[in-house]
Amino acid sequence: MYHSLLNDATFYNSLLDLDRLIAGQIREGQCPLCSGNLNQSHFLRKPRGVPNGTHPDYAVRFSYCCATEGCRKRFTTPSMRFLSRKVYSSVIIFLVFLFNSKSDEARVEKLNTLLGTTLSVETVRRWRHYWIKIVPQSNTWKRAAFSHELCETLPSSLLGLFQCALKEQLYKGVKWLLPLTTGIYLFDVPFRLTASG
Ligand SMILES: [Zn+2]
């Protein structure tokens, strides 16, 4: 199941669609600092491990800049595809920890074989640090008041909270993480997601 999702371009494209939805809602709003209008200021990423058939716009990171002279604050929108500055897709950063591998070396080898990537063991260890040390420090996690034991087995413990099939779990898990994806937690974005709740 992990394997088919990792190579499912339709699934990746659905994340792009949700990001468009979020970006459209941010675009309709105003600068939260000065109430100025927002100008489009998208930029390109170089996502790794994305399957063939994924839309070319998958690489576009949606972002806006305040149009007011003297403010010009940039607002990069929350993303279902990108976890802050990480170049691998959020899907991979979840799923690699669900592999039933005996070591990180085996985990990395399996992923690289499946996706043709050059992921390193060091990167996977940084991701684990992110999951078990950084995520539990976030306001999002603290507000949820999950038990402390869940921190030790993130991200699988987060997905396990959702009683549904893996694909739906991933939608919900990535959606849950949205406030952390902009890198800087600036404001609560009142976006509405229509797909999968
Ligand atoms: Zn502004």
Side-chain angles (χ1 to χ4, degrees):
M1 187 63 189
Y2 313 145
H3 307 177
S4 58
L5 265 182
L6 282 166
N7 277 307
D8 184 349
T10 307
F11 179 60
Y12 278 73
N13 287 336
S14 71
L15 300 179
L16 170 62
D17 289 342
L18 290 167
D19 277 2
R20 287 191 200 284
L21 197 70
I22 294 167
Q25 289 169 31
I26 303 276
R27 177 74 187 86
E28 286 169 13
Q30 296 171 318
C31 171
L33 300 182
C34 75
S35 301
N37 290 327
L38 298 175
N39 288 339
Q40 181 176 306
S41 185
H42 303 336
F43 55 94
L44 281 178
R45 298 285 310 268
K46 289 182 181 170
R48 292 192 198 153
V50 173
N52 290 333
T54 304
H55 195 285
D57 284 355
Y58 193 93
V60 179
R61 187 71 171 92
F62 301 127
S63 189
Y64 296 92
C65 272
C66 175
T68 307
E69 202 67 52
C71 179
R72 299 285 189 199
K73 183 74 186 167
R74 176 182 284 275
F75 300 99
T76 299
T77 64
S79 174
M80 298 288 286
R81 293 167 292 154
F82 297 105
L83 257 175
S84 61
R85 294 173 190 275
K86 296 174 178 59
V87 293
Y88 283 86
S89 169
S90 53
V91 176
I92 294 171
I93 298 170
F94 267 94
L95 289 184
V96 75
F97 293 105
L98 271 58
F99 289 178
N100 185 23
S101 302
K102 286 191 170 62
S103 65
D104 283 340
E105 285 76 6
R107 192 181 300 282
V108 164
E109 191 181 337
K110 190 170 177 178
L111 189 97
N112 284 339
T113 304
L114 273 169
L115 302 182
T117 47
T118 53
L119 179 69
S120 69
V121 172
E122 290 71 29
T123 300
V124 163
R125 288 180 181 154
R126 276 203 302 276
W127 292 348
R128 182 180 289 107
H129 178 84
Y130 170 79
W131 280 117
I132 66 178
K133 299 291 182 194
I134 308 293
V135 171
Q137 295 299 320
S138 67
N139 290 332
T140 304
W141 184 269
K142 286 173 184 168
R143 271 203 300 267
F146 292 141
S147 80
H148 186 69
E149 287 72 56
L150 288 185
C151 302
E152 294 156 22
T153 49
L154 280 168
S156 56
S157 58
L158 176 62
L159 296 181
L161 294 173
F162 309 116
Q163 300 294 310
C164 46
L166 180 63
K167 187 192 268 190
E168 297 300 315
Q169 284 183 327
L170 266 177
Y171 277 125
K172 290 176 188 290
V174 176
K175 183 185 168 195
W176 189 89
L177 215 61
L178 277 173
L180 280 72
T181 59
T182 54
I184 308 164
Y185 189 74
L186 284 173
F187 56 103
D188 278 313
V189 186
F191 45 77
R192 306 167 299 276
L193 291 178
T194 53
S196 308

